[in-house]
């Protein structure tokens, strides 16, 4: 083998890598292909039916049925909960609207009462019609507490255990 070096094409001279001493592989014959084509196994019809028939495991079927029932029950409970939540929200909205209307009516009534009955009108009515007079200092009684001020809150004695717990927790947060 002769190598010629040319300064311009030395890096691209692929003939330097050719090996003429490599042996050549024999070509496959068409007879080999024919032999491999006819390697089909035939089974009797009964065995084919047995293979094709699906075998069901009763334990797996039971587990699948239980799992699907649990999932269905969970989804149904979620849906029922959402429906109840929607209904309660609707009731809250309705009651808030009723409360707003009642407060508006109360404010209107208070304003009407205050405009009709001023303090001078009430004093005149008490003097003229009822014969009343203002209390004088002689009529007033003063009370002094020498032991200190006390405040007593009367509570509902009929509360059950859970209401007492709820009141105690509410008292902590207020």
């Amino acid at each position: 083998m002769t190598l010629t070096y040319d300064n311009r094409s030395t890096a691209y001279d692929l003939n330097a890598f050719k090996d003429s001493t490599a042996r050549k592989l024999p070509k496959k014959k068409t007879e080999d292909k024919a032999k491999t084509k006819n390697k089909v196994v035939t089974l009797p019809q009964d065995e084919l039916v047995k293979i094709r028939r699906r075998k069901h495991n009763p334990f797996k079927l039971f587990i699948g049925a239980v799992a699907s029932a649990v999932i269905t029950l969970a989804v149904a409970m979620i849906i029922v909960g959402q429906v109840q939540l929607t209904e309660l929200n609707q009731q809250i909205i309705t009651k808030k609207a009723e409360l707003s209307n009642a407060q508006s009516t109360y404010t209107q009534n208070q304003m009407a009462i205050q405009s009709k009955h001023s303090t001078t009108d009430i004093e005149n009515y008490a003097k003229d019609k009822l014969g009343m007079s203002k209390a004088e200092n002689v009529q007033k009684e003063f009370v002094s507490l020498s032991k200190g001020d006390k405040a007593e809150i009367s509570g509902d004695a009929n509360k059950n255990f859970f209401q007492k717990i709820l009141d105690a927790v509410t008292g902590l947060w207020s």
Side-chain angles (χ1 to χ4, degrees), residues 129-165:
K129 302 268 180 168
L130 300 175
M132 300 174 86
S133 64
K134 280 190 171 186
E136 310 236 348
N137 284 340
V138 178
Q139 296 172 326
K140 295 179 184 176
E141 249 182 72
F142 294 99
V143 178
S144 66
L145 298 174
S146 61
K147 295 179 183 176
D149 293 338
K150 285 186 178 181
E152 187 175 318
I153 300 172
S154 62
D156 188 13
N158 295 332
K159 289 186 177 181
N160 66 19
F161 179 71
F162 295 111
Q163 288 174 337
K164 290 178 183 178
I165 291 175

Side-chain angles (χ1 to χ4, degrees), residues 43-109:
L43 294 174
Q45 189 66 23
D46 294 340
E47 289 184 27
L48 283 175
V49 170
K50 285 181 183 177
I51 291 171
R52 288 182 187 154
R53 190 180 325 145
R54 184 174 180 162
K55 296 174 184 164
H56 299 288
N57 186 351
F59 181 71
K60 287 183 180 179
L61 287 174
F62 177 74
I63 294 297
V66 168
S68 63
V70 167
I71 291 171
T72 303
L73 183 64
V75 169
M77 288 175 60
I78 290 171
I79 290 172
V80 167
Q82 289 296 324
V83 167
Q84 289 176 347
L85 185 62
T86 303
E87 289 174 354
L88 290 175
N89 283 336
Q90 189 61 37
Q91 287 177 0
I92 289 171
I93 291 169
T94 304
K95 294 299 179 186
K96 281 185 179 180
E98 287 177 14
L99 177 63
S100 175
N101 290 338
Q103 287 175 340
S104 169
T105 304
Y106 176 76
T107 305
Q108 289 174 357
N109 289 340

